[in-house]
């Protein structure tokens, strides 16, 4: 599928990607749009959370973000200049259904009409995510993802958003990283809605998966045959220092709670027995699973989106430690701090762990994979109209080589989306962390393509990454 050959221009080896490999960049509505109170948009859980003192660094909110709601056309021109073939963005549910149910807000849908039309006019394929964490607050007030009804409301919203854009958007993702929505939103409370309810987190995980399955069913039943449906997971690549029984057991627990809790029911295997046993002390949370739910969750998808940033280091907890750590189900497991090279955000850099994860998924997941997010946050300096983001550029190139290595070993990876197109609102870290391949000056809204952005453009032009070195531009 892939080949290496010399780059005649600079006389070095190139690692070529498959001919129709899909190159893009990703964003999410709440992180870039701003305009949180215009055109009938309702409040989301992230508006509420960010307005709560102490929840988001610097007291940052979704305003102004990148003001993308108004600047989408010039942002699409930047994408076209970079040569992106696809753009992964999310639709804001509270723009389309301000209270999460009932009538559509036409002005909200009209924004996505404008965005999609602009993308298509520039030859960029739209890849729409229906839910990237901005639950309408009105639904949270009724229990949010801990309430089964939210799954049904989500499927209804998905069907109407799909119906509206189906003539132009063929590639759809239901949820982005349901693990985060469940475990950070309802487990540790570091994300909206900020609740600490370990059992509720597991119930939310089921309702998210149910919502996903019901949404795929609803969309597919009305979709032309060439429409593609998917789910995006943040799966972890677990690292241990020793290959012995206790370390393997610790790794297995983490794999259970973050990976198999999602992959198994998607594959029709139901929830993993070991995860059910580990979380049994919370009471039988799986009582929320009703007849027919698991069939709905296992509704076939066309590809799986994989978001990868950093490995997860674990070890057996010191003798006597009996807590579950931050997440229910991890009793006896110590989550270790990053080590070695880290990004500006302090996240460990390990491209090899990315290849390992893709290879494992290639074995376990029966559908093609798409890397729907991968990237790094570093402190950037704009000097002379340029951003020489060496750290991010190295991370990008190394991780592209990691994807290439997985493909070369036979894993069916169909595309790569850099996170993120633009610097943006990084959730609880506010605007303090920059993941963009394009710099955003939040005061002036001036955009500057970083070296990493030019590098991605070079990779896309050649459909290849150099086997060594970082000079792709
Ligand atoms: O910014 C987030 C994104 O919204 C979801 N995946 C991880 C990114 C970096 O934290």
């Amino acid at each position: 599928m892939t080949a290496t050959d010399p780059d005649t221009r600079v006389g070095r080896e190139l690692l070529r990607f498959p001919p129709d490999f899909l190159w893009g960049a990703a964003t999410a509505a709440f992180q870039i749009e701003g305009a949180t109170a215009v055109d009938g948009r309702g409040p989301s859980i992230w508006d509420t959370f960010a307005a709560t003192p102490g929840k988001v660094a610097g007291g940052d909110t979704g305003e102004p973000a990148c003001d993308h709601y108004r600047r989408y056309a010039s942002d699409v021109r930047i994408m076209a200049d970079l040569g992106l073939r696809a753009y992964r963005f999310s639709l804001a549910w509270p723009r389309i259904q301000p209270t999460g149910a009932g009538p559509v807000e036409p002005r909200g849908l009209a924004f996505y009409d404008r965005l999609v039309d602009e993308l298509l006019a520039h030859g960029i394929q739209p890849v729409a995510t229906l839910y990237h964490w901005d639950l309408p607050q009105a639904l949270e007030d009724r229990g949010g993802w801990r309430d089964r009804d939210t799954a049904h409301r989500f499927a209804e919203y998905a069907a109407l958003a799909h119906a509206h854009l189906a003539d132009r958007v063929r590639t759809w993702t239901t949820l982005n990283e349901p693990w985060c929505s469940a475990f950070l939103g309802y487990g540790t409370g570091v994300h909206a809605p900020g609740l600490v309810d370990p059992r509720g987190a597991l119930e939310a995980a089921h309702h998210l998966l149910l919502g996903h399955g019901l949404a795929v069913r609803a969309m597919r039943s009305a979709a032309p045959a060439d429409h593609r449906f998917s789910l995006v997971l943040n799966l972890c690549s677990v690292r241990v220092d020793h290959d012995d029984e206790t370390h393997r057991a610790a790794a297995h627990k983490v794999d259970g709670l973050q990976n198999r809790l999602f992959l198994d029911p998607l594959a029709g295997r139901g929830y993993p027995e070991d995860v059910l046993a580990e979380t049994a002390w919370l009471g039988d949370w799986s009582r929320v699973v009703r007849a027919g739910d698991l069939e709905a969750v296992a509704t076939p998808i066309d590809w799986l989106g994989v978001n990868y940033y950093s490995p997860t280091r674990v070890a057996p907890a010191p003798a006597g430690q009996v807590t579950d750590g931050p997440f229910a189900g991890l009793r006896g497991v110590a989550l270790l701090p990053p080590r070695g090279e880290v990004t500006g955000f302090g996240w460990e850099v390990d491209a090899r762990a990315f290849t390992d994860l893709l290879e494992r998924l290639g074995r376990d997941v029966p559908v093609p994979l798409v890397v729907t997010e991968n990237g790094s946050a570093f402190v950037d300096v704009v000097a002379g109209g340029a951003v020489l983001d060496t750290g991010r550029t190295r991370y990008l190139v190394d991780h592209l080589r990691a994807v290439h290595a997985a493909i070369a070993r036979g894993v069916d990876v169909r595309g790569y989306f850099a996170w993120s197109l633009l610097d943006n609102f990084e959730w609880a870290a506010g605007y303090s962390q920059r993941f963009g391949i394009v710099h955003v000056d939040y005061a002036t809204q001036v955009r500057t393509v970083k070296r990493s952005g030019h590098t991605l453009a070079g990779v896309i032009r050649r459909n290849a990454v150099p086997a060594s070195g970082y000079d792709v531009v």
Side-chain angles (χ1 to χ4, degrees):
M1 276 182 91
T2 62
T4 60
D5 55 32
D7 179 353
T8 43
R9 194 178 58 90
V10 288
R12 64 186 170 176
E13 193 186 2
L14 282 180
L15 306 173
R16 289 210 180 277
F17 285 83
D20 47 0
F21 196 74
L22 193 61
W23 293 104
T27 63
F30 191 79
Q31 294 182 270
I32 64 165
E33 286 179 359
T36 53
V38 307
D39 290 345
R41 178 186 179 279
S44 77
I45 53 174
W46 271 95
D47 296 281
T48 309
F49 189 73
T52 310
K55 297 296 187 191
V56 174
D60 292 342
T61 69
E63 292 288 355
C66 307
D67 195 27
H68 174 77
Y69 192 76
R70 298 185 185 85
R71 295 168 193 266
Y72 71 92
S74 49
D75 288 337
V76 172
R77 272 200 301 280
I78 293 172
M79 297 177 214
D81 290 346
L82 290 172
L84 301 190
R85 310 270 195 267
Y87 173 52
R88 175 176 176 246
F89 61 98
S90 77
L91 308 176
W93 187 354
R95 276 198 200 287
I96 294 174
Q97 274 185 313
T99 61
V104 161
E105 169 50 69
R107 291 171 295 175
L109 273 178
F111 168 66
Y112 297 108
D113 282 333
R114 294 194 291 278
L115 173 62
V116 165
D117 290 347
E118 198 67 22
L119 289 167
L120 294 174
H122 286 81
I124 299 169
Q125 179 182 330
V127 176
T129 299
L130 285 153
Y131 183 73
H132 198 126
W133 305 356
D134 43 359
L135 186 72
Q137 181 62 43
L139 291 185
E140 183 54 41
D141 296 342
R142 288 165 24 199
W145 288 109
R146 292 181 299 174
D147 180 15
R148 181 180 180 86
D149 187 55
T150 299
H152 292 284
R153 298 286 67 74
F154 177 68
E156 183 182 279
Y157 148 70
L160 61 86
H162 174 261
H164 186 81
L165 292 166
D167 57 335
R168 287 154 292 160
V169 181
R170 291 181 307 165
T171 311
W172 292 82
T173 284
T174 52
L175 310 171
N176 182 73
E177 301 181 354
W179 181 88
C180 293
S181 300
F183 289 95
L184 303 183
Y186 297 94
T188 62
V190 299
H191 277 187
L195 300 173
V196 180
D197 173 6
R199 178 184 170 134
L202 289 152
E203 292 170 350
H206 175 64
H207 293 143
L208 282 150
L209 280 169
L210 177 63
H212 152 77
L214 295 174
V216 173
R217 261 189 198 166
M219 291 187 288
R220 184 136 18 221
S221 69
D226 64 345
H227 279 211
R228 295 287 171 264
F229 300 100
S230 59
L231 171 70
V232 168
L233 299 176
N234 55 320
L235 297 159
C236 66
S237 191
V238 188
R239 290 297 204 211
V240 287
D241 285 333
H242 304 287
D243 186 23
D244 61 27
E245 200 179 316
T246 54
H247 283 78
R248 277 199 298 272
H252 192 66
K253 277 191 193 177
V254 175
D255 183 63
L257 202 65
Q258 186 152 352
N259 297 339
R260 290 179 289 111
L261 182 66
F262 295 90
L263 294 175
D264 282 13
L266 280 176
R269 293 190 289 270
Y271 291 107
E273 287 299 330
D274 59 313
V275 177
L276 293 174
E278 285 293 332
T279 54
W281 66 273
L282 292 165
D284 185 8
W285 62 269
S286 66
R287 271 185 306 203
V288 298
V289 182
R290 295 197 191 158
D293 283 10
L294 291 174
E295 288 74 17
V297 173
T299 301
I301 53 175
D302 299 302
W303 51 270
L304 180 72
V306 181
N307 293 356
Y308 172 82
Y309 290 87
S310 189
T312 305
R313 284 198 174 274
V314 306
Q321 178 182 312
V322 291
T323 71
D324 269 42
F327 307 111
L330 295 187
R331 186 155 298 187
V333 175
L335 296 172
L336 303 182
R339 91 171 57 130
E341 188 185 352
V342 293
T343 68
F345 206 173
W347 293 5
E348 184 170 336
V349 177
D350 186 349
R352 178 62 215 245
F354 192 15
T355 306
D356 292 349
L357 175 64
L358 292 171
E359 282 195 80
R360 177 261 171 102
L361 295 172
R363 286 190 298 272
D364 290 359
V365 173
V367 292
L369 308 175
V370 174
V371 177
T372 34
E373 287 182 26
N374 173 241
S376 55
F378 286 94
V379 174
D380 293 319
V381 179
V382 186
V387 180
L388 297 178
D389 57 335
T390 316
R392 189 178 294 100
T393 301
R394 292 173 73 96
Y395 180 101
L396 172 71
V397 172
D398 284 337
H399 285 73
L400 288 174
R401 288 183 190 130
V403 176
H404 186 277
I407 296 173
R409 288 172 202 168
V411 185
D412 188 1
V413 186
R414 301 281 175 95
Y416 176 94
F417 289 76
W419 184 269
S420 177
L421 176 72
L422 303 169
D423 290 336
N424 59 49
F425 176 84
E426 176 50 28
W427 308 112
Y431 297 101
S432 69
Q433 299 297 329
R434 294 177 176 274
F435 277 90
I437 56 171
V438 177
H439 182 273
V440 176
D441 179 326
Y442 296 113
T444 62
Q445 291 296 337
V446 167
R447 273 72 161 143
T448 307
V449 177
K450 303 178 192 178
R451 183 177 180 82
S452 56
H454 293 299
T455 298
L456 181 63
V459 169
I460 296 172
R461 268 199 306 279
R462 294 180 180 78
N463 197 35
V465 70
S468 60
Y470 298 95
D471 180 21
V472 183
V473 181

